[in-house]
Amino acid sequence: MKTRKTFDNSQFRKLAISCVVLLAGCGSAPLAPQRVEVPVFTPCVKVVPQRPAYEFDQLTPVATDGEIVLALARDWLRGRPYEAQLEAVIAGCTHSAADVGH
């Protein structure tokens, strides 16, 4: 006599749930890449102003008071544009740091 195999309802449910779970994993799309901006350090000084050659630095230790005063007066005229360039560089660095939020 042949025995007939019956398919149990609980087995069918388990199989159906397994298939649904497996197919649900395949049906989800991968996440799209997202752009993330990360602050990166870059130096704010592009060009360093060249320091002028001051006459006072080249005076000998035996220079007279008059020679020292004249050298300082001429150096003051050389130093003003240099100081202005340095201040501009510093101002550029402080403004760029403020823009980033530091």
Side-chain angles (χ1 to χ4, degrees):
M1 185 173 231
K2 284 188 174 182
T3 49
R4 189 170 175 199
K5 288 188 177 181
T6 58
F7 197 72
D8 189 11
N9 250 356
S10 64
Q11 290 177 342
F12 180 72
R13 282 187 189 153
K14 289 179 186 177
L15 180 64
I17 290 172
S18 299
C19 288
V20 168
V21 168
L22 288 175
L23 289 176
C26 295
S28 63
L31 298 175
Q34 295 180 350
R35 181 181 178 140
V36 178
E37 295 190 19
V38 178
V40 178
F41 173 76
T42 56
C44 61
V45 178
K46 305 296 184 223
V47 178
V48 177
Q50 185 172 354
R51 185 176 190 267
Y54 292 115
E55 283 186 41
F56 181 79
D57 295 336
Q58 299 168 0
L59 289 176
T60 61
V62 293
T64 64
D65 290 343
E67 291 172 332
I68 293 173
V69 169
L70 289 175
L72 288 172
R74 286 188 287 263
D75 287 346
W76 186 81
L77 294 175
R78 286 189 191 100
R80 296 303 287 174
Y82 177 65
E83 290 172 15
Q85 290 174 347
L86 287 178
E87 289 174 357
V89 167
I90 292 169
C93 288
T94 56
H95 289 300
S96 64
D99 294 340
V100 175
H102 292 239

